[in-house]
Amino acid sequence: MRIVVSDTALEIARQVSAILLAQVRKKPDSVLGFATGSSPLETYRLLIEAHRAGEADFSRVTTFNLDEYCSLAQDDPHSYYAFMKTQLFDPAGFSYDRVHFLSGLAEDHEATCRAYRAAIEAHGGIDIQLLGIGRNGHIGFNEPSDRFSDGPFMVQLAQSTLDANARFFENASPPRFALTMGIGDILAAKKILLIAMGDSKAQAIRAMEHGGVTPHCPASALQTHPDVTVFLDRAAARLL
Ligand code: GLP
């Protein structure tokens, strides 16, 4: 696991977006795994800038997002689909026939999860997976538990995750369940980039990097992957 500590969110975003842009220039039909949350926002802004400047064409890129809340339709402004549409896909010119999302409204969630994994495999796997990290060490929505999940599955969210994500829901409460890629799906990506910023992530980053590999800190599974780069600001890196 490579650790890169930077002074600002912009410095992190410049490095992460440069890697993603190089990938798409080298392979215009790349398969990218995307994350929601505030951590990748600045990176997405720079990808949009590159597209607007005519320096990047994302129209042939295939995407798979990590997770989605159950019971929210894609046009619900709180859905992760809506987040990606506004924060990246529309302004950066992605093609929606190449965008893949777990459906939070699926009636048969097990079939949806199996189909998602099959779709990732049918596209030859994910070239670069972008990740954030939860305060409790979750990646995607893989919450701390007694075992690592392999494929996509439905998860009951931890109270700390609901509390952390309540800020996106104004007067409503976040759904208590979500569908997420499993740890096995994340580890199957060829390259992984994780962004974490702020004091509230410092404990999780320490457990991810210094603790043993344990499902009680799901991000610790990344220690077993050969190509992970972790981008931190000084606050998130303060316990390393
Ligand atoms: C959510 C998402 C994760 C994300 C995490 C951190 O729980 N499911 O994919 O990494 O939040 O979010 P933030 O970047 O806003 O701190």
Side-chain angles (χ1 to χ4, degrees), residues 141-156:
F141 267 141
N142 289 269
E143 299 284 29
S145 79
D146 291 336
R147 62 173 196 92
F148 287 118
S149 55
D150 183 23
F153 68 109
M154 185 158 111
V155 61
Q156 177 161 12

Side-chain angles (χ1 to χ4, degrees), residues 39-74:
S39 305
L41 275 179
E42 193 71 357
T43 296
Y44 293 162
R45 194 180 63 72
L46 296 186
L47 296 182
I48 293 165
E49 266 186 16
H51 168 72
R52 289 192 173 140
E55 293 161 4
D57 177 8
F58 297 111
S59 64
R60 291 174 58 204
V61 171
T62 293
T63 74
F64 287 90
N65 257 80
L66 279 168
D67 45 18
E68 180 58 286
Y69 287 111
C70 288
S71 76
L72 297 187
Q74 289 190 332

Side-chain angles (χ1 to χ4, degrees), residues 34-37 41 44-45 48 51-52 63 65 67-68 73-97 99-101:
F34 283 127
T36 53
L41 275 179
Y44 293 162
R45 194 180 63 72
I48 293 165
H51 168 72
R52 289 192 173 140
T63 74
N65 257 80
D67 45 18
E68 180 58 286
Q74 289 190 332
D75 60 2
D76 186 304
H78 297 116
S79 72
Y80 279 168
Y81 185 91
F83 176 99
M84 291 303 300
K85 188 170 153 46
T86 318
Q87 302 296 340
L88 184 64
F89 294 152
D90 278 353
F94 281 77
S95 304
Y96 281 93
D97 55 347
V99 163
H100 296 81
F101 244 87

Side-chain angles (χ1 to χ4, degrees), residues 36-39 66-67 80 132-133 138 140-141 161 165 167 201:
T36 53
S38 45
S39 305
L66 279 168
D67 45 18
Y80 279 168
I133 186 170
H138 75 231
F141 267 141
T161 300
N165 291 351
R167 69 190 193 280
K201 303 291 173 73

